[in-house]
Amino acid sequence: MTSGPDQKVSAPDLFSAPRSRNDVVTFLLVCAVVAASFLGRYSFDVAGFTVRWEQVAPVAFVGWLIVNPGSRLDLLRTLRHPVVLTFLAFIAWNAVSTVLFSPSLGKSVAILGWLTIDLLLLAGLMSLGARAVWAENIGIRFVVPWAFAGFAMYLIANRTGGGVSWGTNLDSLYDVYVTRLSATEANIYAAILVFWTLLLVARKGTDRRWMIAAAVTVPLGLIASQTRTAVFCMVMGLAVYVGYELVRRRRNPTPLRAFTFGPVAVVVGVLVAYGAATVLPDIGTERPSPSRHETAPEVRTDTSRPAQDKLGDIDFSGGTVGFRMAVAREAAEDIQGVHLWFGNGTNTFGLRHEQPGSPGVSGHIIMLPVQILYDAGIVGLAILSAFGAVVWRHVPWRRRPIAAAIAATFIAAATLTSMFWFSVVWIILASLLRPSSRDEGETGREAAQNVVEEHPSALETTGIERI
């Protein structure tokens, strides 16, 4: 018996190991998908296109779902889900804009293909129903080792002056090696840590020991990334989560410890880690010239000073803020007339502009709202906003607080450093959309609320108020 995307199951069904051969293969492919999402830096070329391992794994996963008779029907059914259809509409609109305005269809097709893979990945994980929790369980287990490894490489690279610098880049602006491990850059490394930590927080008491370990290691990973935006996003996400739970608690009383343990542990960990960093001596040694190392300086789209330096300085004429404003001004020149509504075609900014301050380097828009407006215009931005609303509509009621926290965190992070295409975003989205279950502490009232969310007409008979 299969479990579709809207089926509710009990805790044993969610967490028991896969039993049948088909389930074992599916589980291993889900493992590959999640593992590949941490390998964004690695790719290879095929017919002139750059192919990433985080694109290969989802294709293999969905291919298995198609050839396996036991999962094919669930996948086909999920392809008609409103969330999937709305995202398909967004991709289709990007394709229209690209055909009309892109000066190089090949460059645009690469991103359109990536978006299509994201769509298939989302649909594939959603089609697993309750088994989509496998991806969540695997992802949150990467948090501790990935954060610890990142901090270890940060220490080693800076203590050796770059002599051993795997998984790091020299940030030439502040003359410090920052951690990216196998991610594309330090900002993405830190953002992935934040997203999975938030999901771990939402597990409440079920992973308490792992939560404590994450509260110790994740702040160290954030220090290693030297990215203040990630720290802000982490704290903001935790605040949104706790605030949402407190508001809901007034109508559905629950013990405070049920949703405050994780946030408190992480905040304490952040304060202790950054507090300790302010009194520790400089970990660096004499820095060799970057030309003497195979590790090239990193072009950071969001850069932070070490914790002992000022974190509140904002320079509108230079630095990262000035860089973003320069990119936005160049983009605005092309968003005129019909292009304001239809866009300029997917991934076309770099075909028309060089990177500000970097002659000969193709430009790229790192701010997601500006990027979508440039590529697909107001219509594309409206479709993507509708996609967000449809996703929210289908997130189970009990998972709304963490969904709000992740949404706020993603919007803040993507406004500064876009990671919209990366598979981790779609894995986490599928985790938020998976069916609710009794393991999340769902009471009879909450189960009824889920019914109301799926069938608004039921509101008249249940008497439950929307929150």
Side-chain angles (χ1 to χ4, degrees):
M1 179 178 178
T2 58
S3 57
D6 297 320
Q7 185 177 353
K8 291 185 177 66
V9 296
S10 61
D13 294 320
L14 279 172
F15 292 100
S16 59
R19 297 176 181 176
S20 68
R21 183 184 69 86
N22 288 342
D23 271 0
V24 170
V25 174
T26 303
F27 176 76
L28 292 176
L29 286 171
V30 171
C31 290
V33 165
V34 177
S37 71
F38 288 82
L39 304 175
R41 195 168 186 86
Y42 299 105
S43 61
F44 54 93
D45 293 332
V46 175
F49 291 95
T50 299
V51 179
R52 299 169 180 260
W53 287 109
E54 67 172 323
Q55 297 169 324
V56 174
V59 171
F61 166 62
V62 174
W64 162 253
L65 296 180
I66 292 173
V67 301
N68 179 20
S71 58
R72 185 186 306 125
L73 183 60
D74 285 335
L75 178 60
L76 293 176
R77 185 185 300 114
T78 305
L79 290 175
R80 300 194 297 270
H81 194 282
V83 168
V84 176
L85 291 177
T86 310
F87 189 48
L88 178 61
F90 173 74
I91 297 175
W93 178 257
N94 271 266
V96 170
S97 179
T98 296
V99 170
L100 291 175
F101 303 114
S102 175
S104 174
L105 290 179
K107 296 290 186 181
S108 297
V109 165
I111 297 299
L112 288 174
W114 198 346
L115 288 173
T116 302
I117 292 173
D118 292 333
L119 173 70
L120 293 174
L121 173 59
L122 176 63
L125 290 174
M126 288 175 62
S127 73
L128 297 181
R131 294 175 298 167
V133 78
W134 290 341
E136 182 177 330
N137 288 339
I138 298 163
I140 61 177
R141 292 308 189 276
F142 273 81
V143 169
V144 170
W146 221 49
F148 182 79
F151 186 68
M153 292 311 305
Y154 166 75
L155 290 178
I156 293 172
N158 284 284
R159 289 299 297 176
T160 63
V164 179
S165 58
W166 180 87
T168 65
N169 282 107
L170 178 62
D171 184 340
S172 56
L173 183 60
Y174 299 119
D175 195 30
V176 63
Y177 285 89
V178 297
T179 293
R180 55 162 172 79
L181 281 191
S182 52
T184 53
E185 58 174 283
N187 304 300
I188 304 303
Y189 164 80
I192 292 174
L193 277 181
V194 170
F195 291 144
W196 282 117
T197 302
L198 288 175
L199 271 186
L200 177 60
V201 164
R203 299 294 284 268
K204 300 181 174 57
T206 57
D207 294 278
R208 184 156 293 197
R209 282 183 291 186
W210 201 249
M211 185 73 257
I212 294 174
V216 174
T217 57
V218 168
L220 297 178
L222 297 182
I223 288 176
S225 74
Q226 293 289 289
T227 308
R228 61 173 171 249
T229 299
V231 179
F232 167 77
C233 287
M234 175 73 83
V235 175
M236 180 188 66
L238 294 173
V240 170
Y241 170 67
V242 173
Y244 200 124
E245 287 281 16
L246 286 174
V247 170
R248 193 163 62 178
R249 183 174 180 266
R250 293 186 303 176
R251 301 186 182 186
N252 184 36
T254 56
L256 282 174
R257 64 179 180 275
F259 58 86
T260 56
F261 174 78
V264 169
V266 173
V267 170
V268 170
V270 168
L271 292 176
V272 171
Y274 276 82
T278 62
V279 299
L280 290 176
D282 184 7
I283 67 169
T285 59
E286 182 181 354
R287 308 264 189 250
S289 171
S291 61
R292 292 169 54 187
H293 296 280
E294 62 180 15
T295 301
E298 179 174 9
V299 180
R300 299 287 301 278
T301 54
D302 172 65
T303 313
S304 300
R305 298 296 303 258
Q308 61 265 33
D309 294 331
K310 293 182 180 180
L311 295 178
D313 53 319
I314 299 178
D315 182 5
F316 286 95
S317 61
T320 59
V321 175
F323 170 78
R324 290 184 179 91
M325 293 183 68
V327 171
R329 283 193 296 268
E330 288 194 9
E333 296 175 359
D334 297 334
I335 309 176
Q336 305 287 338
V338 67
H339 297 292
L340 177 62
W341 293 93
F342 285 80
N344 293 275
T346 302
N347 194 35
T348 58
F349 179 80
L351 301 177
R352 299 183 175 98
H353 300 277
E354 294 181 341
Q355 198 76 333
S358 302
V361 178
S362 297
H364 61 274
I365 303 175
I366 58 177
M367 301 159 284
L368 183 61
V370 179
Q371 193 170 45
I372 300 301
L373 188 62
Y374 186 93
D375 289 356
I378 291 177
V379 175
L381 195 59
I383 296 174
L384 188 60
S385 299
F387 170 72
V390 173
V391 167
W392 181 259
R393 170 72 175 73
H394 287 85
V395 170
W397 184 82
R398 192 70 189 101
R399 215 170 292 133
R400 292 285 178 85
I402 199 60
I406 289 177
T409 300
F410 176 77
I411 291 171
T415 299
L416 299 173
T417 303
S418 175
M419 53 187 296
F420 183 66
W421 298 270
F422 298 157
S423 60
V424 64
V425 173
W426 305 96
I427 295 170
I428 290 177
L429 185 57
S431 296
L432 295 175
L433 289 166
R434 67 178 174 83
S436 58
S437 62
R438 288 192 294 273
D439 75 281
E440 296 174 281
E442 184 179 71
T443 65
R445 182 187 186 280
E446 292 168 341
Q449 180 71 38
N450 275 318
V451 173
V452 170
E453 294 294 342
E454 292 294 330
H455 307 284
S457 61
L459 187 64
E460 300 175 2
T461 57
T462 59
I464 296 176
E465 300 179 64
R466 292 182 181 273
I467 297 179

